[in-house]
Each structure stands twice: as structure tokens, then as C-alpha cells.
Amino acid sequence: MKKLALVLVISLLGVINVSAATPVFGTIQASVDRMYYFGKSKGTGSKFTREIAQLYYDLGTKYGIRGDIALCQSFVETGWFKFTGSVIQASDNNFCGLGATDSYGYWNKCTFSTPALGIEAQMQHLWAYATTKSLPSWATLVDPRFDAVRSSGKRGKAPNWENFGSGMWASASDYASTILSIYNAMMAYKLPVSLTAD
């Protein structure tokens, strides 16, 4: 009888398809070196600098958001920071496609005066999707589409990276799996020998 019960439990787990989620909030796992050198190994455009990698690390840490995965999201949105064939240009400092939506048209794209502001807006937009909590009291709102997440009924509906895509941030159904695939490749990347492993 115990064997039958065990078989039933194992079968049920197979049907439920238990899988680990990847929270938007959390501690960054990749070092700045890993983020930077991995990006450079993929032939990123000239806009991608060590300063950009540092900003993803610092602002991700500040907001408690996985800035390392947010960078991978930006690799997808910018075509590895080459901006080829994209309405978003390097000078927009908009590395996550804010405002360039299928439903509202690309003319609503957001522009930021510095990379730091653009990346902070991305962190705040992720915050809006991942939780219904207000931004921290120390934060100044720089994401012009923060309230649009609430008005669309998506506020707090994407606590995990796997929730994105199919209308959540992006229309592509493989949006999340593409981002996470890039992240996994980044974590498996062999840093140059001259660098200390993270």
C-alpha cells in the first residue's frame, strides 16, 4: 500500500509540473565583471560599458531587484546594445523598451537624460510589475509608465521572471525563457583568467 501511495504522489508531482520560480526581487548573483565581460563576449554595441554593468549592479542592489537578470532583459530589448532596427536608440538611454509597446505604438517611447535614470526607471517598472507595495520612501519616481502598470491591471502580477511575456511587459510568449536563457549562459560564462572568479 505504501508503494502504491508513493507512486501516486510521484505521478501527481509529474502532472503538477513542479518547477522553481525566479523572483524579480532578490540578491544579485553575478559580479560586475561577469556582467560586463559576458556582454562584451557577445559583441555588444559601444553603448554597453563597464559603467552600465555597474549601474545594473548598484541600482539592482538599491531596489532589492535582480539587476543581473534585468541586464539580460536589456540584452534582449536592445539587441545586445546594438539597437539595430529598433525605434529605441542608444541616445534614448532606454534599455528595456519603456513606452515602445505594441498596443500604444512606438511613438510613446521613453527617453532619459542619462543611463542611470534609464536603468533606475527599469528597476521601478520591474517593481511595479512584481509587487503592489509603494516604492521605497527614499525613491524619486523616474519611471513615466509606473502608473500605467496599475491602470492596465498588471500591478503586482509578475513577482517572478517567468511571469513575463504573453502581454506581461512584452507580447512574445518566449520573452521570459529568452531572458533566463541568457542569464544562465552568463552564469556559465568563463571569466578571463586574469580576473578573480566570482
Side-chain angles (χ1 to χ4, degrees):
M1 189 68 173
K2 287 183 180 177
K3 283 185 179 179
L4 179 60
L6 182 60
V7 169
L8 286 172
V9 168
I10 291 170
S11 298
L12 184 58
L13 287 174
V15 171
I16 294 172
N17 189 22
V18 176
S19 61
T22 312
V24 170
F25 288 101
T27 304
I28 293 173
Q29 300 300 306
S31 67
V32 174
D33 280 341
R34 178 169 297 282
M35 291 190 282
Y36 174 68
Y37 284 103
F38 171 74
K40 283 304 185 187
S41 78
K42 296 297 182 182
T44 46
S46 60
K47 184 72 172 185
F48 183 67
T49 62
R50 188 176 175 80
E51 177 195 5
I52 295 285
Q54 187 72 56
L55 285 166
Y56 274 95
Y57 189 92
D58 293 346
L59 289 167
T61 300
K62 183 177 180 180
Y63 280 90
I65 286 174
R66 291 293 306 274
D68 45 2
I69 303 179
L71 174 60
C72 295
Q73 178 185 35
S74 292
F75 287 148
V76 171
E77 290 284 353
T78 63
W80 298 97
F81 283 77
K82 293 175 186 171
F83 303 91
T84 305
S86 174
V87 71
I88 300 293
Q89 299 301 310
S91 60
D92 294 330
N93 293 310
N94 177 355
F95 310 123
C96 65
L98 272 177
T101 60
D102 295 337
S103 56
Y104 295 105
Y106 292 112
W107 55 87
N108 287 325
K109 71 173 182 175
C110 301
T111 59
F112 302 94
S113 58
T114 65
L117 282 173
I119 294 168
E120 186 163 14
Q122 181 179 357
M123 297 302 164
Q124 291 182 355
H125 211 63
L126 286 165
W127 182 290
Y129 272 100
T131 183
T132 57
K133 292 180 182 176
S134 299
L135 285 172
S137 58
W138 47 259
T140 299
L141 182 64
V142 296
D143 171 14
R145 299 205 37 86
F146 189 87
D147 289 334
V149 180
R150 179 189 48 76
S151 62
S152 70
K154 297 175 183 174
R155 188 85 156 84
K157 300 289 171 120
N160 301 309
W161 285 97
E162 289 85 355
N163 300 129
F164 289 109
S166 300
M168 194 74 70
W169 194 299
S171 57
S173 60
D174 64 347
Y175 187 68
S177 61
T178 301
I179 291 168
L180 291 171
S181 176
I182 292 171
Y183 170 72
N184 289 332
M186 181 170 73
M187 294 309 290
Y189 173 71
K190 301 270 189 209
L191 283 166
V193 178
S194 60
L195 297 171
T196 304
D198 55 355

